[in-house]
Amino acid sequence: MIIMMGAQLQSPPPKNLSDLEKKIYDALLKSEIPHQYSSWKHLHFELLLRKNIIEAATKLAYSPVEFKVFQDSKFNPRYWTKTQGGYLLNPFVLPSQAIEDIFQNGHEYAFECSTAIVIIYYYAVLKSINLEAFNRIFPNLLVWDWSYDEDLRIITKVGTDFIPGDVLYFHNPDYLYPVWIGENAVYFGDDQYFGHGIGIKSKEEMIRALNTLRKPNAQKSAYLLSQYSRLDFLYLSQFSY
C-alpha cells in the first residue's frame, strides 16, 4: 500500500509515468507493507530511481563486462587503481565519468556479483540526481564487493515485500567455490532477476544455475532468501533535479 502524508492511496498511477514506472507503482500499491511518502515528489523520485536500477541492470546484462574474482578482476586503469581493498578512483577523475565508463567500455572490466550491484546502484543514482550533486557526494569512490560510500545508503530488511528494483539474494549452501556461495540479483518483477555471471533469469532458472555450481554429492539446493535490499530513496531525493 502507498501512504501519502497519512492517507492511503487507491488511485491509478499518476500521469506521465513510463510503463516500467507504472509497473513499479502498481507493485507498491498492491504491497501489504505500507510504503510512506512525504510528498508526490518523493514518490516520483523512488519510481524513477527504481526504474533506473532495472535499466542499469539490463544494460550491464548485455555488456561485455566479465565475471571474475578479485585476483583476476580488472577495471579501466584510466579511471581506477587496484588496491588491497578494491578499485580506487584515480586523482582528478570525476566519479560520474568513472561510473559511466563501466557501462561504455565494458570490455575493460571484470568483477563479481556484489560489486556489480554496487555499480548498478551508483549508475542508477547518477541517472536520477543532479550531476554536480553526484560528483560532490561521491568524491572518493572505492569499489569492490560491498564497499560503498555512506551516502549511497543501502538498507537491507528481512521479509518478502519484493518491489521491482529491489536487490535479492539467492543463497547456495553447498557451493563448490566461495565465489558461488550465492548470487545477488536485481528483481525486475514478473519472475525475472538479473545476477551478474548468470544473466536475466526466472527464479527457478537462477536456482538451477547455482545448483550446477555445488560441491560433488551436494544435498542442499540453492534458494531465495526472505530479505531485500533497497536504497534510502527519501535521503537521495534531496539531490534530485
Side-chain angles (χ1 to χ4, degrees):
M1 67 184 73
I2 297 176
I3 306 296
M4 178 68 68
M5 295 175 286
Q8 183 175 344
L9 293 184
Q10 297 180 337
S11 58
K15 295 180 180 179
N16 302 320
L17 295 182
S18 67
D19 289 342
L20 184 48
E21 287 171 320
K22 290 176 183 177
K23 176 180 174 181
I24 296 164
Y25 179 89
D26 190 53
L28 289 167
L29 205 61
K30 292 178 179 178
S31 170
E32 296 182 358
I33 306 297
H35 293 263
Q36 302 192 45
Y37 301 91
S38 59
S39 65
W40 281 104
K41 180 182 178 181
H42 176 202
L43 174 57
H44 275 283
F45 179 79
E46 178 168 335
L47 297 175
L48 172 66
L49 183 45
R50 285 184 177 276
K51 174 185 75 75
N52 286 338
I53 289 169
I54 294 170
E55 290 182 348
T58 302
K59 193 168 185 177
L60 188 62
Y62 294 104
S63 80
V65 175
E66 296 180 84
F67 182 98
K68 296 289 184 182
V69 297
F70 188 61
Q71 58 264 35
D72 300 320
S73 64
K74 63 177 181 178
F75 273 50
N76 190 343
R78 179 179 176 184
Y79 297 96
W80 306 89
T81 296
K82 191 173 187 178
T83 69
Q84 289 185 338
Y87 286 88
L88 184 65
L89 187 70
N90 287 342
F92 310 112
V93 170
L94 289 175
S96 58
Q97 293 176 337
I99 295 297
E100 285 273 12
D101 187 68
I102 299 171
F103 291 83
Q104 292 174 350
N105 296 299
H107 59 278
E108 295 281 355
Y109 294 86
F111 43 75
E112 44 66 75
C113 69
S114 52
T115 302
I117 295 300
V118 173
I119 287 169
I120 287 168
Y121 275 154
Y122 277 128
Y123 188 75
V125 171
L126 173 60
K127 296 301 179 181
S128 304
I129 70 172
N130 179 275
L131 178 63
E132 182 181 346
F134 183 91
N135 288 322
R136 185 177 71 252
I137 64 177
F138 301 122
N140 300 303
L141 294 181
L142 175 67
V143 177
W144 190 262
D145 195 23
W146 282 108
S147 295
Y148 58 88
D149 189 285
E150 62 180 8
D151 282 299
L152 196 56
R153 297 278 187 104
I154 301 173
I155 301 167
T156 299
K157 295 184 177 182
V158 174
T160 57
D161 178 42
F162 302 153
I163 305 297
D166 283 345
V167 170
L168 312 182
Y169 187 71
F170 290 85
H171 183 47
N172 189 22
D174 278 350
Y175 59 89
L176 179 59
Y177 299 110
V179 70
W180 289 117
I181 192 174
E183 180 77 353
N184 296 281
V186 176
Y187 177 53
F188 287 10
D190 300 324
D191 191 33
Q192 292 291 289
Y193 308 78
F194 166 68
H196 181 53
I198 293 180
I200 300 173
K201 305 290 183 182
S202 69
K203 175 182 174 181
E204 291 306 314
E205 288 172 332
M206 194 72 71
I207 290 171
R208 195 178 307 131
L210 286 170
N211 282 346
T212 67
L213 301 165
R214 294 179 297 171
K215 60 189 177 184
N217 303 313
Q219 300 297 314
K220 297 177 183 178
S221 172
Y223 60 94
L224 179 61
L225 287 185
S226 296
Q227 72 172 44
Y228 53 89
S229 297
R230 57 183 58 146
L231 298 177
D232 187 338
F233 300 106
L234 177 58
Y235 172 76
L236 290 167
S237 67
Q238 68 181 299
F239 306 110
S240 62
Y241 295 94

